[in-house]
Amino acid sequence: MSSKIKQRHILVVLILSLFAAISWMLGQNNYFLMDDYTTIFARGIIENPIQSFSFFPQARYNDRPVGTIFTGILYHIFGMNAQGYHFVFVLIHIFNVYMVWNISKKLFIKFSIPNASITAFIAAAIFGAYPQ
């Protein structure tokens, strides 16, 4: 089996594992929680999300203007359908896990770590399960 086909198999297994691990997130019983409401309503992003951007902090806690703008754009697309938000965030998480796998594989190859693809897979799987 060629190296490209082997890498594709690893990537497909990684993506399927991620969807299996976080599929509960897309269920009908999973709704908005905690600071989701304050991000959507309390910051006034419903009218024009771009106005929420600032270079300097505007709040003492949880001041992330790019996240606020992105959530405002999602509000304009999905309204109060939590599953739409969750699906987009799952796709972003999967993309981030892919980036961790790809970058760590390149780093492991550069530093001559044996079994770089498998080691990178393990690193990406750990990040996928616990991105903190």
Side-chain angles (χ1 to χ4, degrees), residues 34-47 52 59 68:
M34 293 192 242
D35 64 342
D36 295 335
Y37 290 107
T38 57
T39 302
I40 292 172
F41 293 114
R43 298 206 179 161
I45 61 170
I46 293 174
E47 298 83 25
S52 298
T68 303

Side-chain angles (χ1 to χ4, degrees), residues 29-127:
N29 294 332
N30 191 11
Y31 204 63
F32 296 116
L33 189 64
M34 293 192 242
D35 64 342
D36 295 335
Y37 290 107
T38 57
T39 302
I40 292 172
F41 293 114
R43 298 206 179 161
I45 61 170
I46 293 174
E47 298 83 25
N48 187 0
I50 304 300
Q51 289 178 347
S52 298
F53 183 77
S54 67
F55 284 107
F56 299 108
Q58 301 296 314
R60 295 176 127 184
Y61 168 75
N62 203 13
D63 190 33
R64 298 172 284 194
V66 175
T68 303
I69 291 169
F70 188 71
T71 305
I73 292 169
L74 289 178
Y75 178 80
H76 285 289
I77 295 170
F78 297 114
M80 290 303 290
N81 179 7
Q83 284 70 37
Y85 289 80
H86 296 323
F87 185 73
V88 170
F89 289 134
V90 165
L91 290 178
I92 290 171
H93 182 64
I94 288 173
F95 177 74
N96 288 336
V97 169
Y98 170 74
M99 293 299 291
V100 167
W101 175 72
N102 197 11
I103 291 169
S104 61
K105 185 178 77 157
K106 288 179 182 181
L107 284 172
F108 293 151
I109 289 172
K110 181 178 180 177
F111 291 109
S112 302
I113 304 292
N115 298 325
S117 290
I118 304 230
T119 309
F121 177 81
I122 293 169
I126 291 170
F127 176 78

